Amino acid sequence: MTNSTNNKMIMNENKLNKILLITGGAGFIGSNLIRYFLNKYPDYKIINFDKLTYAGNLNNLKEIETDPNYVFVKGDVANSQDVKNVFEEFNPDFVVNCAAESHVDRSITDPDIFLQSNILGTQIMLDFACENDAENFVQVSTDEVYGAKFKNFSADENSSLKPNNPYAASKAAADLLVRAAHQTHGQKVNVVRSCNNYGPFQFPEKLIPLMILNALTDVDLPVYGAGKQRREWIHVEDHCRAIDLVLHRGKSGEIYNAGTGNERINLKLVEYIVKQFPGSQSQIKFVADRLGHDFSYAMKSTKIHQELGWQPVKQFEAGLDETIEWYKMHRDWIEAIKSGEYLQYYDKIYKSRLTE
Ligand code: NAD
Ligand code: TYD
């Protein structure tokens, strides 16, 4: 054991005020997680390490930016020097790795950055977590690693990984690297695989905020294929509680699925949203389907219920109504996003589809 490891162990024995490094904290889930942790653990110091890609938005954290327990550090998980600097400066006890390129459509047109940030980035984070004897490393993963639902089969944590798009494949690769760090170095790790998240601060490239934003601004609502695909939805706050439980009480080396059973057909969901915007029903447009579009996902979440007592509490339609209201009340947040990059992306993905 090195002197620094020894010193850290002695310090930790007396320490309640942990240092938590959250990567990707300026994104949707990360920013909700930071607010959640600052609120729940007033003795923790939270370091938000984020590259600020198109999806990283410090406006998501405006109301806590001056909190003395919060620090923002701009950096790239795929850049060893950036990661080394943040570990040297803060010596975190815990790491929650949220940083990732997160959108399936972008991974189909531009996969390289997904490999860089999601795979290489996870390995670099793991290397430094190991070197610094982090007390736990939680990887924020997804049900998409199991691939599309096949017949009546629901994946448990031991099911095989069969990702079908570059995003899902990069997340599956990252999960395996997390496992490898545990097996090789004895690093304490957990993986949380949740279904589709929704809630405030979600970037409007994902289904729910995109439909709300378009309905708000009288733009067409592009439904892929015939809209028959299904997704299972979790409110981001329920996901934050699952990550918290796994971080503090997860059995080392274990994976936990976090699903809700709230599965909805895409078209029905879009129809529910447009009902809140009189006149927008006629703006639903069926457009060319996504390549390799997974029809639905299915996973069992009994392990996290039984071992950690986690249950989702947010009823889906109530959570959706609150989310719609949040976007209606945050027009400034939306306007700031609808800048050059978003419009270019929108044209690239939707223009030809909507004019076909
Ligand atoms: P997001 O796209 O809203 O945010 C991602 C954040 O990561 C952004 O702030 C971005 O700037 C940052 N980032 C990207 N590359 C980085 C890099 N190389 N270095 C440092 N920061 C970088 O994504 P999200 O929806 O909040 O997802 C967060 C995590 O949760 C991802 O790992 C995603 O795979 C996973 N996940 C998301 C969902 C979902 O429905 N959104 C479901 C399950 C799992
Ligand atoms: P998305 O929010 O991109 O999440 P994921 O692909 O990771 O599940 O998409 C959710 C579902 O909505 C998926 O079946 C694709 C569909 N979809 C549309 O029909 N239209 C859209 O414009 C988008 C973004 C998604």
Side-chain angles (χ1 to χ4, degrees):
M1 194 180 293
T2 63
N3 273 348
S4 90
T5 310
N6 203 9
N7 287 343
K8 188 171 174 186
M9 282 175 70
I10 293 162
M11 271 163 59
N12 280 347
E13 276 167 17
N14 305 316
K15 203 169 149 194
L16 288 173
N17 47 339
K18 303 285 186 186
I19 299 175
L20 168 56
L21 175 62
I22 298 183
T23 70
F28 162 50
I29 295 171
S31 61
N32 279 285
L33 196 59
I34 288 173
R35 263 188 303 279
Y36 170 94
F37 273 111
L38 281 174
N39 201 25
K40 179 152 179 206
Y41 299 103
D43 294 335
Y44 280 22
K45 190 172 192 84
I46 313 286
I47 318 300
N48 173 11
F49 181 74
D50 196 296
K51 184 180 168 188
L52 298 184
T53 68
Y54 76 89
N57 184 355
L58 291 177
N59 285 338
N60 296 356
L61 293 156
K62 268 243 162 306
E63 79 275 19
I64 56 99
E65 69 189 0
T66 55
D67 189 310
N69 289 342
Y70 168 74
V71 180
F72 171 67
V73 177
K74 186 164 188 237
D76 182 349
V77 290
N79 179 316
S80 296
Q81 190 59 51
D82 286 357
V83 178
K84 185 171 193 275
N85 292 346
V86 77
F87 270 89
E88 273 179 8
E89 186 172 355
F90 296 102
N91 195 19
D93 301 290
F94 297 129
V95 178
V96 178
N97 190 32
C98 283
E101 289 293 332
S102 67
H103 193 39
V104 173
D105 290 314
R106 291 185 193 249
S107 81
I108 294 169
T109 53
D110 298 287
D112 295 18
I113 189 70
F114 285 72
L115 276 58
Q116 188 79 12
S117 293
N118 301 5
I119 306 178
L120 179 64
T122 300
Q123 183 58 51
I124 291 174
M125 289 305 299
L126 284 164
D127 288 342
F128 283 94
C130 291
E131 202 173 302
N132 285 264
D133 290 312
E135 283 177 46
N136 202 2
F137 180 105
V138 172
Q139 176 69 2
V140 179
S141 185
T142 162
D143 56 359
E144 301 198 22
V145 298
Y146 296 119
K149 179 177 180 180
F150 181 68
K151 296 192 175 159
N152 285 328
F153 182 77
S154 278
D156 68 20
E157 290 78 357
N158 293 317
S159 296
S160 54
L161 303 185
K162 292 184 181 150
N164 290 325
N165 59 63
Y167 162 70
S170 70
K171 294 296 290 182
D175 286 7
L176 296 179
L177 292 170
V178 174
R179 175 191 155 84
H182 179 69
Q183 296 295 124
T184 309
H185 300 292
Q187 172 59 42
K188 294 200 178 96
V189 298
N190 289 112
V191 175
V192 183
R193 292 181 179 147
S194 82
C195 54
N196 283 54
N197 285 230
Y198 72 100
F201 299 101
Q202 187 167 31
F203 192 82
E205 64 189 353
K206 306 289 189 329
L207 180 72
I208 289 179
L210 184 131
M211 295 299 162
I212 298 173
L213 178 87
N214 287 12
L216 257 177
T217 51
D218 291 332
V219 174
D220 286 343
L221 309 174
V223 172
Y224 294 164
K228 290 192 173 150
Q229 290 84 2
R230 298 156 180 265
R231 289 293 182 268
E232 182 180 352
W233 295 97
I234 183 172
H235 192 276
V236 65
E237 282 168 17
D238 281 329
H239 188 191
C240 290
R241 282 191 303 103
I243 294 171
D244 176 17
L245 275 173
V246 171
L247 177 71
H248 292 99
R249 303 213 338 246
K251 200 168 145 217
S252 187
E254 296 290 314
I255 298 165
Y256 294 91
N257 291 344
T260 59
N262 290 325
E263 193 185 52
R264 296 290 183 278
I265 296 167
N266 288 345
L267 181 58
K268 295 269 181 246
L269 172 50
V270 175
E271 285 172 347
Y272 182 91
I273 294 172
V274 297
K275 275 203 197 114
Q276 324 281 329
F277 299 91
S280 63
Q281 173 76 34
S282 61
Q283 285 169 227
I284 295 179
K285 296 280 176 314
F286 295 98
V287 301
D289 209 346
R290 175 186 279 173
L291 296 175
H293 194 170
D294 283 339
F295 192 80
S296 66
Y297 303 105
M299 61 178 182
K300 292 189 187 84
S301 301
T302 28
K303 180 172 169 180
I304 194 168
H305 299 160
Q306 288 173 356
E307 284 188 17
L308 304 181
W310 177 84
Q311 291 285 352
V313 295
K314 189 72 90 176
Q315 196 274 334
F316 181 58
E317 275 69 21
L320 193 51
D321 290 347
E322 282 170 27
T323 303
I324 293 171
E325 203 47 38
W326 186 89
Y327 281 91
K328 283 183 179 167
M329 302 300 290
H330 289 79
R331 295 296 287 258
D332 291 356
W333 183 90
I334 293 173
E335 287 311 317
I337 281 176
K338 279 178 60 190
S339 62
E341 199 284 338
Y342 184 71
L343 295 178
Q344 274 170 23
Y345 164 78
Y346 202 85
D347 269 7
K348 183 170 169 183
I349 298 285
Y350 296 104
K351 197 173 177 185
S352 64
R353 279 173 155 156
L354 283 164
T355 50
E356 264 166 14

